[in-house]
């Protein structure tokens, strides 16, 4: 029975290696897409004639938008690393996974804070427009 399990796992490892590679490539695509979208939004924002305070708020939204793509990319990398750690558990893989989880948690915390601040700024801006 043990030999059967090892044989099955041995046959599936090449599939998992390809799947891990696909996840890594996909995370890069997500990151690049986020950078392109944020860059386009930034360029559109810079072409308008608005005051600097409004532009700074818009840049904060763009930064939060880009941060969400970075976070998604890290989540995909973590999924790939979890799979890799399961099929080939080495101390280096487990350490790399732990570091990625810590980085993701820190980025997630600060991104969430920035999004909340941006939403509060947007609500304040909307209320100011209503009172004027």
């Amino acid at each position: 029975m043990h030999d059967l399990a090892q044989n099955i796992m041995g046959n599936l490892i090449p599939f998992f290696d390809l799947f891990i590679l696909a996840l890594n490539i996909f995370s890069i695509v997500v990151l690049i897409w986020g950078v392109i979208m944020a860059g386009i939004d930034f360029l559109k924002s810079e072409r308008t004639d608005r005051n600097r305070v409004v532009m700074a708020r818009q840049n904060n939204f763009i930064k939060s938008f880009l941060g969400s793509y970075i976070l998604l990319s890290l989540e995909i990398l973590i999924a790939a690393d979890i799979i890799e750690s399961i099929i080939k558990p080495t101390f280096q893989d487990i350490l790399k996974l732990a570091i990625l989880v810590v980085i993701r948690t820190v980025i997630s915390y600060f991104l969430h804070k920035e999004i909340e601040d941006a939403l509060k700024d947007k609500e304040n801006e909307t209320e100011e427009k209503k009172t004027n």
Side-chain angles (χ1 to χ4, degrees):
M1 186 69 169
H2 182 67
D3 291 335
L4 178 63
Q6 280 185 328
N7 192 19
I8 291 171
M9 244 348 240
N11 290 333
L12 289 177
I13 286 179
F15 167 76
F16 285 125
D17 284 337
L18 285 175
F19 188 65
I20 291 166
L21 177 63
L23 285 175
N24 286 330
I25 291 170
F26 183 61
S27 73
I28 292 169
V29 169
V30 167
L31 185 60
I32 291 171
W33 181 256
V35 168
I36 290 170
M37 296 301 291
I40 290 169
D41 287 347
F42 174 74
L43 292 175
K44 284 180 185 177
S45 174
E46 287 295 312
R47 292 183 56 189
T48 59
D49 291 330
R50 294 182 289 182
N51 67 33
R52 294 316 248 169
V53 173
V54 173
M55 289 179 73
R57 286 181 183 160
Q58 181 66 26
N59 285 343
N60 282 337
F61 279 115
I62 294 169
K63 187 170 69 169
S64 296
F65 176 76
L66 177 59
S68 67
Y69 275 93
I70 292 170
L71 191 59
L72 178 60
S73 180
L74 281 173
E75 293 283 353
I76 295 167
L77 283 175
I78 288 171
D81 286 337
I82 288 171
I83 294 168
E84 188 172 22
S85 296
I86 290 171
I87 63 171
K88 299 183 234 171
T90 65
F91 181 73
Q92 183 179 5
D93 289 335
I94 293 170
L95 184 62
K96 185 169 98 173
L97 180 61
I99 290 169
L100 275 175
V101 168
V102 168
I103 290 170
R104 188 208 70 72
T105 303
V106 169
I107 289 174
S108 177
Y109 172 77
F110 286 109
L111 177 62
H112 182 69
K113 256 184 109 163
E114 284 186 25
I115 289 172
E116 283 181 349
D117 290 343
L119 288 174
K120 284 179 187 176
D121 286 345
K122 189 71 168 175
E123 287 174 7
N124 290 340
E125 182 181 318
T126 304
E127 288 176 14
E128 286 175 8
K129 286 181 182 178
K130 286 181 183 178
T131 58
N132 289 333

